[in-house]
Amino acid sequence: MAQCQGTTRKGERCRREARAGSAYCAIHLDQEILGPPRAEETREATSPDRDTMLLAVAGLALAGLLYLLRRR
C-alpha cells in the first residue's frame, strides 16, 4: 500500500495508508475530489475569529473579577 497523499489541518502530509485504488485514505477522500486546501484556507480554519476571541477574553475577565470578589 502507498502512503496517503492528503494534507492534515497542520499542513503536514498524512501518515496513513491510501485506500486500494486511490491515492488518499478514508479521511482525506474529499481532497481527492476538491484537491488539497490552500495555505490561507488552512490558517482560516484553525484560527478563531475575532468575536470568539472577544467572548473568551470577556469570560476570563468576568471569572477573574468574581474570584477576586469572593476572596474578600
Side-chain angles (χ1 to χ4, degrees), residues 20-67:
S22 175
Y24 296 87
C25 67
I27 295 174
H28 296 110
L29 279 178
D30 60 330
Q31 291 180 11
E32 184 173 29
I33 298 167
L34 303 174
R38 296 189 313 253
E40 59 271 5
E41 289 175 352
T42 305
R43 277 193 302 274
E44 289 173 5
T46 57
S47 63
D49 63 344
R50 183 172 176 245
D51 292 337
T52 304
M53 290 296 293
L54 287 174
L55 284 173
V57 169
L60 287 172
L62 182 60
L65 180 64
L66 290 174
Y67 174 75

Side-chain angles (χ1 to χ4, degrees), residues 8-28:
T8 65
R9 289 182 183 166
K10 291 182 179 180
E12 300 170 355
R13 185 171 173 194
C14 178
R15 295 182 181 151
R16 296 174 53 118
E17 289 186 8
R19 295 178 67 174
S22 175
Y24 296 87
C25 67
I27 295 174
H28 296 110

